[in-house]
Short mmCIF file of all heavy atoms in Angstrom, two decimals:
data_model
loop_
_atom_site.label_atom_id
_atom_site.label_comp_id
_atom_site.label_asym_id
_atom_site.label_seq_id
_atom_site.Cartn_x
_atom_site.Cartn_y
_atom_site.Cartn_z
N ALA A 883 81.00 96.37 56.90
CA ALA A 883 81.46 97.84 56.98
C ALA A 883 80.50 98.49 57.83
O ALA A 883 80.36 99.82 57.65
CB ALA A 883 81.55 98.48 55.52
N ASP A 884 79.87 97.96 58.86
CA ASP A 884 78.94 98.52 59.74
C ASP A 884 79.30 98.53 61.22
O ASP A 884 78.51 98.87 62.12
CB ASP A 884 77.54 97.99 59.55
CG ASP A 884 77.55 96.54 59.75
OD1 ASP A 884 78.67 95.94 60.01
OD2 ASP A 884 76.50 95.86 59.65
N GLN A 885 80.60 98.07 61.54
CA GLN A 885 81.00 97.87 62.96
C GLN A 885 81.85 99.14 63.44
O GLN A 885 82.70 99.54 62.51
CB GLN A 885 81.67 96.60 63.16
CG GLN A 885 80.82 95.37 62.90
CD GLN A 885 79.65 95.38 63.78
OE1 GLN A 885 79.65 95.46 64.98
NE2 GLN A 885 78.47 95.19 63.23
N PRO A 886 81.62 99.60 64.53
CA PRO A 886 82.47 100.88 65.05
C PRO A 886 83.77 100.47 65.50
O PRO A 886 84.10 99.38 65.86
CB PRO A 886 81.55 101.42 66.14
CG PRO A 886 80.93 100.19 66.74
CD PRO A 886 80.66 99.26 65.54
N LEU A 887 84.64 101.42 65.56
CA LEU A 887 85.90 101.37 66.22
C LEU A 887 85.57 101.63 67.68
O LEU A 887 84.66 102.43 67.98
CB LEU A 887 86.99 102.41 65.69
CG LEU A 887 87.35 102.29 64.27
CD1 LEU A 887 88.12 103.47 63.71
CD2 LEU A 887 88.28 101.01 64.02
N THR A 888 86.26 101.03 68.64
CA THR A 888 85.99 101.17 70.04
C THR A 888 87.18 101.54 70.86
O THR A 888 88.39 101.22 70.54
CB THR A 888 85.47 99.86 70.62
OG1 THR A 888 86.33 98.83 70.50
CG2 THR A 888 84.14 99.41 69.89
N VAL A 889 86.91 102.38 71.83
CA VAL A 889 87.79 102.65 72.96
C VAL A 889 87.17 102.09 74.25
O VAL A 889 86.14 102.62 74.61
CB VAL A 889 88.30 104.11 73.01
CG1 VAL A 889 86.91 105.05 72.93
CG2 VAL A 889 89.09 104.36 74.20
N LYS A 890 87.84 101.18 74.84
CA LYS A 890 87.29 100.50 76.11
C LYS A 890 88.36 100.62 77.17
O LYS A 890 89.42 100.15 77.13
CB LYS A 890 86.91 99.10 75.80
CG LYS A 890 86.31 98.36 77.09
CD LYS A 890 85.89 96.92 76.74
CE LYS A 890 85.22 96.27 77.91
NZ LYS A 890 84.87 94.93 77.52
N ILE A 891 88.00 101.33 78.30
CA ILE A 891 88.89 101.49 79.38
C ILE A 891 88.19 101.16 80.70
O ILE A 891 86.96 101.07 80.69
CB ILE A 891 89.44 102.95 79.42
CG1 ILE A 891 88.27 103.88 79.78
CG2 ILE A 891 90.16 103.37 78.09
CD1 ILE A 891 88.75 105.33 80.12
N GLN A 892 89.04 100.94 81.71
CA GLN A 892 88.50 100.75 83.03
C GLN A 892 89.17 101.76 83.92
O GLN A 892 90.28 101.99 84.11
CB GLN A 892 88.80 99.39 83.56
CG GLN A 892 88.26 99.17 85.04
CD GLN A 892 88.23 97.72 85.45
OE1 GLN A 892 88.68 96.83 84.71
NE2 GLN A 892 87.83 97.42 86.65
N VAL A 893 88.22 102.56 84.65
CA VAL A 893 88.65 103.64 85.55
C VAL A 893 88.69 102.98 86.95
O VAL A 893 87.68 102.50 87.48
CB VAL A 893 87.70 104.88 85.49
CG1 VAL A 893 88.20 105.89 86.60
CG2 VAL A 893 87.71 105.49 84.07
N LEU A 894 89.91 103.05 87.54
CA LEU A 894 90.07 102.56 88.92
C LEU A 894 89.96 103.58 89.96
O LEU A 894 90.10 104.82 89.69
CB LEU A 894 91.49 101.92 89.05
CG LEU A 894 91.78 100.73 88.10
CD1 LEU A 894 93.21 100.17 88.26
CD2 LEU A 894 90.72 99.57 88.33
N ASN A 895 89.64 103.11 91.10
CA ASN A 895 89.42 104.04 92.26
C ASN A 895 90.89 104.22 92.91
O ASN A 895 91.15 103.81 93.98
CB ASN A 895 88.48 103.49 93.32
CG ASN A 895 88.12 104.57 94.36
OD1 ASN A 895 88.27 105.73 94.26
ND2 ASN A 895 87.56 104.00 95.44
N VAL A 896 91.62 105.13 92.16
CA VAL A 896 92.89 105.46 92.63
C VAL A 896 92.92 106.97 92.68
O VAL A 896 92.11 107.74 92.12
CB VAL A 896 94.06 104.81 91.76
CG1 VAL A 896 93.98 103.40 91.75
CG2 VAL A 896 93.89 105.33 90.28
N ASP A 897 94.14 107.44 93.25
CA ASP A 897 94.30 108.91 93.38
C ASP A 897 94.60 109.55 92.04
O ASP A 897 95.75 109.38 91.47
CB ASP A 897 95.52 109.17 94.34
CG ASP A 897 95.67 110.71 94.69
OD1 ASP A 897 94.91 111.49 94.02
OD2 ASP A 897 96.50 111.00 95.44
N PRO A 898 93.68 110.29 91.43
CA PRO A 898 93.84 110.93 90.16
C PRO A 898 95.01 111.96 90.20
O PRO A 898 95.48 112.38 89.00
CB PRO A 898 92.61 111.58 89.78
CG PRO A 898 91.95 111.83 91.09
CD PRO A 898 92.41 110.73 92.00
N ASP A 899 95.43 112.49 91.35
CA ASP A 899 96.39 113.43 91.49
C ASP A 899 97.84 112.93 91.63
O ASP A 899 98.80 113.63 91.84
CB ASP A 899 96.14 114.44 92.54
CG ASP A 899 94.79 115.29 92.31
OD1 ASP A 899 94.57 115.57 91.09
OD2 ASP A 899 94.03 115.46 93.28
N ALA A 900 97.90 111.62 91.70
CA ALA A 900 99.24 110.90 91.85
C ALA A 900 100.12 111.20 90.67
O ALA A 900 99.79 111.26 89.51
CB ALA A 900 99.00 109.40 91.99
N SER A 901 101.45 111.46 91.08
CA SER A 901 102.37 111.66 90.06
C SER A 901 102.82 110.45 89.18
O SER A 901 103.08 110.36 88.05
CB SER A 901 103.73 112.24 90.55
OG SER A 901 103.50 113.52 91.31
N TYR A 902 102.62 109.28 90.01
CA TYR A 902 102.93 107.93 89.36
C TYR A 902 102.20 107.00 90.05
O TYR A 902 102.22 106.89 91.28
CB TYR A 902 104.40 107.70 89.38
CG TYR A 902 104.83 106.50 88.46
CD1 TYR A 902 105.00 106.72 87.20
CD2 TYR A 902 105.00 105.19 89.04
CE1 TYR A 902 105.26 105.60 86.32
CE2 TYR A 902 105.25 104.08 88.19
CZ TYR A 902 105.50 104.30 86.91
OH TYR A 902 105.79 103.21 86.02
N ASP A 903 101.44 106.03 89.37
CA ASP A 903 100.70 104.88 89.96
C ASP A 903 101.26 103.61 89.58
O ASP A 903 101.46 103.26 88.47
CB ASP A 903 99.26 105.05 89.52
CG ASP A 903 98.31 104.16 90.32
OD1 ASP A 903 98.35 102.90 90.22
OD2 ASP A 903 97.42 104.70 91.14
N PHE A 904 101.64 102.83 90.66
CA PHE A 904 102.31 101.48 90.39
C PHE A 904 101.41 100.44 89.93
O PHE A 904 101.89 99.43 89.23
CB PHE A 904 103.02 101.09 91.65
CG PHE A 904 104.24 101.92 91.94
CD1 PHE A 904 104.22 103.21 92.55
CD2 PHE A 904 105.56 101.43 91.67
CE1 PHE A 904 105.28 103.94 92.87
CE2 PHE A 904 106.69 102.23 91.98
CZ PHE A 904 106.56 103.45 92.47
N ILE A 905 100.00 100.62 90.23
CA ILE A 905 99.02 99.68 89.72
C ILE A 905 98.71 99.85 88.23
O ILE A 905 98.82 98.97 87.41
CB ILE A 905 97.76 99.64 90.53
CG1 ILE A 905 98.10 99.03 91.88
CG2 ILE A 905 96.71 98.78 89.86
CD1 ILE A 905 96.90 99.05 92.86
N LEU A 906 98.53 101.14 87.87
CA LEU A 906 98.21 101.47 86.53
C LEU A 906 99.37 101.12 85.56
O LEU A 906 99.13 100.86 84.36
CB LEU A 906 97.80 102.90 86.32
CG LEU A 906 96.59 103.37 87.11
CD1 LEU A 906 96.33 104.81 86.97
CD2 LEU A 906 95.32 102.70 86.64
N ASN A 907 100.50 101.19 86.07
CA ASN A 907 101.71 100.93 85.27
C ASN A 907 102.40 99.63 85.65
O ASN A 907 103.58 99.23 85.25
CB ASN A 907 102.79 102.06 85.49
CG ASN A 907 102.24 103.34 84.96
OD1 ASN A 907 102.24 103.59 83.73
ND2 ASN A 907 101.84 104.21 85.87
N MET A 908 101.62 98.66 86.25
CA MET A 908 102.31 97.35 86.72
C MET A 908 102.93 96.53 85.53
O MET A 908 103.97 95.92 85.83
CB MET A 908 101.33 96.59 87.42
CG MET A 908 100.11 95.92 86.70
SD MET A 908 99.15 94.90 87.79
CE MET A 908 97.97 94.19 86.63
N CYS A 909 102.24 96.59 84.46
CA CYS A 909 102.79 95.81 83.28
C CYS A 909 103.82 96.51 82.44
O CYS A 909 104.37 95.89 81.50
CB CYS A 909 101.69 95.21 82.39
SG CYS A 909 100.59 94.12 83.22
N GLU A 910 104.20 97.66 82.95
CA GLU A 910 105.36 98.32 82.38
C GLU A 910 106.62 97.96 83.11
O GLU A 910 107.77 98.17 82.66
CB GLU A 910 105.31 99.92 82.44
CG GLU A 910 104.07 100.40 81.74
CD GLU A 910 104.21 100.26 80.26
OE1 GLU A 910 105.38 100.39 79.73
OE2 GLU A 910 103.18 99.98 79.67
N ALA A 911 106.46 97.23 84.29
CA ALA A 911 107.48 96.71 85.09
C ALA A 911 108.03 95.43 84.68
O ALA A 911 107.33 94.70 84.01
CB ALA A 911 107.14 96.70 86.57
N GLU A 912 109.27 95.07 84.97
CA GLU A 912 109.89 93.74 84.77
C GLU A 912 109.65 93.01 86.01
O GLU A 912 110.23 93.35 87.18
CB GLU A 912 111.38 93.88 84.47
CG GLU A 912 111.69 94.77 83.26
CD GLU A 912 113.15 95.03 83.17
OE1 GLU A 912 113.94 94.52 83.84
OE2 GLU A 912 113.52 95.94 82.24
N TRP A 913 109.00 91.82 85.93
CA TRP A 913 108.78 90.97 87.14
C TRP A 913 109.52 89.77 86.97
O TRP A 913 109.67 89.11 85.99
CB TRP A 913 107.26 90.70 87.15
CG TRP A 913 106.37 91.92 87.49
CD1 TRP A 913 105.92 92.74 86.67
CD2 TRP A 913 106.09 92.48 88.74
NE1 TRP A 913 105.20 93.76 87.22
CE2 TRP A 913 105.25 93.61 88.61
CE3 TRP A 913 106.40 92.02 90.14
CZ2 TRP A 913 104.78 94.33 89.68
CZ3 TRP A 913 105.91 92.79 91.22
CH2 TRP A 913 105.07 93.91 90.90
N TRP A 914 109.97 89.29 88.21
CA TRP A 914 110.69 88.00 88.33
C TRP A 914 110.51 87.44 89.74
O TRP A 914 110.02 88.07 90.66
CB TRP A 914 112.16 88.13 88.00
CG TRP A 914 113.05 88.85 89.00
CD1 TRP A 914 113.69 88.36 90.01
CD2 TRP A 914 113.14 90.25 89.08
NE1 TRP A 914 114.37 89.42 90.81
CE2 TRP A 914 113.99 90.53 90.12
CE3 TRP A 914 112.73 91.39 88.31
CZ2 TRP A 914 114.38 91.82 90.50
CZ3 TRP A 914 113.03 92.62 88.70
CH2 TRP A 914 113.95 92.96 89.75
N ASN A 915 110.92 86.18 89.85
CA ASN A 915 110.76 85.43 91.16
C ASN A 915 112.04 85.17 91.82
O ASN A 915 113.13 85.53 91.32
CB ASN A 915 109.85 84.19 90.95
CG ASN A 915 110.34 83.25 90.16
OD1 ASN A 915 111.69 83.17 89.85
ND2 ASN A 915 109.65 82.20 89.71
N GLY A 916 111.97 84.35 92.95
CA GLY A 916 113.22 84.08 93.74
C GLY A 916 114.20 83.12 92.98
O GLY A 916 115.22 82.89 93.37
N GLU A 917 113.65 82.52 91.93
CA GLU A 917 114.43 81.58 91.09
C GLU A 917 115.04 82.35 89.85
O GLU A 917 115.55 81.80 88.94
CB GLU A 917 113.62 80.35 90.58
CG GLU A 917 113.02 79.56 91.76
CD GLU A 917 114.17 78.84 92.47
OE1 GLU A 917 115.23 78.47 91.90
OE2 GLU A 917 114.05 78.58 93.62
N MET A 918 114.82 83.60 89.88
CA MET A 918 115.27 84.54 88.83
C MET A 918 114.60 84.18 87.51
O MET A 918 115.09 84.40 86.38
CB MET A 918 116.79 84.53 88.54
CG MET A 918 117.51 84.99 89.90
SD MET A 918 117.03 86.60 90.41
CE MET A 918 117.67 87.59 89.04
N GLU A 919 113.30 83.70 87.57
CA GLU A 919 112.51 83.46 86.36
C GLU A 919 111.66 84.63 86.14
O GLU A 919 111.00 85.12 86.93
CB GLU A 919 111.67 82.13 86.64
CG GLU A 919 112.39 80.87 86.75
CD GLU A 919 111.48 79.78 87.21
OE1 GLU A 919 110.53 79.94 88.17
OE2 GLU A 919 111.62 78.62 86.71
N ASN A 920 111.71 85.08 84.82
CA ASN A 920 110.78 86.22 84.48
C ASN A 920 109.28 85.73 84.45
O ASN A 920 108.92 84.59 84.10
CB ASN A 920 111.17 86.71 83.04
CG ASN A 920 112.54 87.29 82.79
OD1 ASN A 920 113.02 87.99 84.00
ND2 ASN A 920 113.19 87.18 81.82
N LEU A 921 108.47 86.64 84.83
CA LEU A 921 107.04 86.32 85.09
C LEU A 921 106.29 87.35 84.12
O LEU A 921 106.70 88.50 83.83
CB LEU A 921 106.59 86.58 86.47
CG LEU A 921 107.27 85.81 87.51
CD1 LEU A 921 106.71 86.13 88.92
CD2 LEU A 921 106.96 84.30 87.24
N ARG A 922 105.16 86.71 83.59
CA ARG A 922 104.34 87.54 82.64
C ARG A 922 103.50 88.59 83.57
O ARG A 922 103.40 88.37 84.80
CB ARG A 922 103.40 86.71 81.96
CG ARG A 922 103.98 85.75 80.90
CD ARG A 922 103.02 84.81 80.26
NE ARG A 922 101.86 85.52 79.67
CZ ARG A 922 100.81 84.95 79.20
NH1 ARG A 922 100.78 83.55 79.30
NH2 ARG A 922 99.85 85.63 78.65
N CYS A 923 102.99 89.54 82.94
CA CYS A 923 102.11 90.49 83.70
C CYS A 923 100.76 90.77 82.81
O CYS A 923 100.85 91.20 81.69
CB CYS A 923 102.83 91.92 83.93
SG CYS A 923 101.81 93.12 84.76
N PRO A 924 99.66 90.50 83.47
CA PRO A 924 99.56 89.75 84.76
C PRO A 924 100.00 88.43 84.58
O PRO A 924 99.89 87.80 83.57
CB PRO A 924 98.04 89.87 85.15
CG PRO A 924 97.34 90.15 83.77
CD PRO A 924 98.31 90.84 82.93
N SER A 925 100.46 87.77 85.71
CA SER A 925 100.86 86.45 85.72
C SER A 925 99.89 85.33 85.78
O SER A 925 98.73 85.60 86.21
CB SER A 925 101.98 86.22 86.81
OG SER A 925 102.88 87.19 86.93
N ILE A 926 100.13 84.21 85.34
CA ILE A 926 99.29 83.06 85.61
C ILE A 926 99.37 82.74 87.12
O ILE A 926 100.52 82.68 87.73
CB ILE A 926 99.75 81.82 84.78
CG1 ILE A 926 99.63 82.08 83.31
CG2 ILE A 926 99.02 80.54 85.20
CD1 ILE A 926 100.25 81.01 82.42
N GLN A 927 98.25 82.64 87.71
CA GLN A 927 98.29 82.47 89.17
C GLN A 927 98.69 81.00 89.53
O GLN A 927 98.00 80.08 89.51
CB GLN A 927 96.76 82.67 89.66
CG GLN A 927 96.37 84.10 89.45
CD GLN A 927 95.00 84.36 90.07
OE1 GLN A 927 94.39 83.54 90.65
NE2 GLN A 927 94.42 85.59 89.78
#
């Protein structure tokens, strides 16, 4: 009963005034390839 709750984030060097950022929201997108196979985000390389 002695461990804290944590909030851990990474701040990227992007435009903070952007209305929408496609990198910060990349895993909100649906990704697929030319074979119409769904891909995980981030994907296995």
Side-chain angles (χ1 to χ4, degrees):
D884 57 357
Q885 298 301 309
L887 298 167
T888 61
V889 48
K890 182 178 181 179
I891 66 169
Q892 182 168 356
V893 179
L894 299 179
N895 189 16
V896 297
D897 185 357
D899 297 324
S901 300
Y902 192 82
D903 192 291
F904 288 79
I905 291 180
L906 297 178
N907 294 284
M908 70 175 185
C909 290
E910 298 296 323
E912 301 169 8
W913 291 92
W914 69 95
N915 63 15
E917 301 294 331
M918 300 304 294
E919 297 173 314
N920 292 326
L921 301 176
R922 295 174 56 186
C923 179
S925 308
I926 299 173
Q927 295 180 7

